[in-house]
Amino acid sequence: MGRPGAGPPPRNTQATAVALPAPLPEQLEEQLEVQLQQEPITHPDAQPRAQRWARRAMAGERWIARVLRTGAVMSGGMFVASLALELLPRGESVHVAIDLLRKGAASMLLVTPVARLAMAGTLLGLRGEWRYTAIAAGVLCLLALAVGAGFQA
């Protein structure tokens, strides 16, 4: 049924020795305590750089999620409002309102990803990732050119 040697590879059986640091001499510890007591702590809750960057990245992702969520909810709300207006008696003003709400909902659905791209490009620029910021700006410029060309046609 099984071939010889077809099982999982053998585990690494070599042990690795790790040297532990020697404890500090008592005199050095006392000097260190005195120095720490004399120096004021300017930022007691300061976090290491990696943690700050991780928190900023998470905050940026939350902003992008908010932009997408807001666009979807607003678009959906406009479409539902246009459906509710369908229940009213037909008149010129009701027909115009329905038309405007549906066009607005469709426009909001189209604009939401563009707003997300602009937000992501800005956040990447703030993080110093210039290559991706330039790519996002290039895509936005191409979209602007396409829309401009579409209006001319």
Side-chain angles (χ1 to χ4, degrees), residues 125-148:
L126 290 174
R127 276 201 260 169
E129 297 185 26
W130 304 114
R131 176 184 295 168
Y132 298 110
T133 302
I135 291 170
V139 170
L140 287 172
C141 286
L142 287 173
L143 282 171
L145 284 171
V147 169

Side-chain angles (χ1 to χ4, degrees), residues 24-41:
L24 293 173
E26 288 181 28
Q27 294 173 346
L28 190 57
E29 282 184 22
E30 290 173 6
Q31 289 175 357
L32 206 65
E33 278 184 37
V34 170
Q35 275 187 340
L36 288 175
Q37 289 173 357
Q38 291 174 353
E39 292 182 21
I41 299 175

Side-chain angles (χ1 to χ4, degrees), residues 29-140:
E29 282 184 22
E30 290 173 6
Q31 289 175 357
L32 206 65
E33 278 184 37
V34 170
Q35 275 187 340
L36 288 175
Q37 289 173 357
Q38 291 174 353
E39 292 182 21
I41 299 175
T42 54
H43 298 290
D45 58 341
Q47 298 174 338
R49 187 175 183 168
Q51 288 179 348
R52 283 189 305 228
W53 281 109
R55 288 185 66 190
R56 286 182 188 168
M58 288 301 294
E61 290 174 10
R62 280 190 217 110
W63 274 105
I64 291 171
R66 285 181 190 138
V67 166
L68 292 172
R69 191 178 312 119
T70 302
V73 167
M74 287 178 63
S75 175
M78 292 168 78
F79 184 69
V80 168
S82 75
L83 290 177
L85 288 177
E86 291 278 345
L87 300 174
L88 294 176
R90 287 291 183 166
E92 174 111 14
S93 61
V94 173
H95 183 67
V96 169
I98 291 170
D99 189 46
L100 284 175
L101 282 171
R102 288 195 179 155
K103 286 180 181 178
S107 296
M108 185 67 69
L109 280 177
L110 292 172
V111 168
T112 299
V114 176
R116 183 236 183 260
L117 181 63
M119 176 70 72
T122 303
L123 292 171
L124 288 168
L126 290 174
R127 276 201 260 169
E129 297 185 26
W130 304 114
R131 176 184 295 168
Y132 298 110
T133 302
I135 291 170
V139 170
L140 287 172

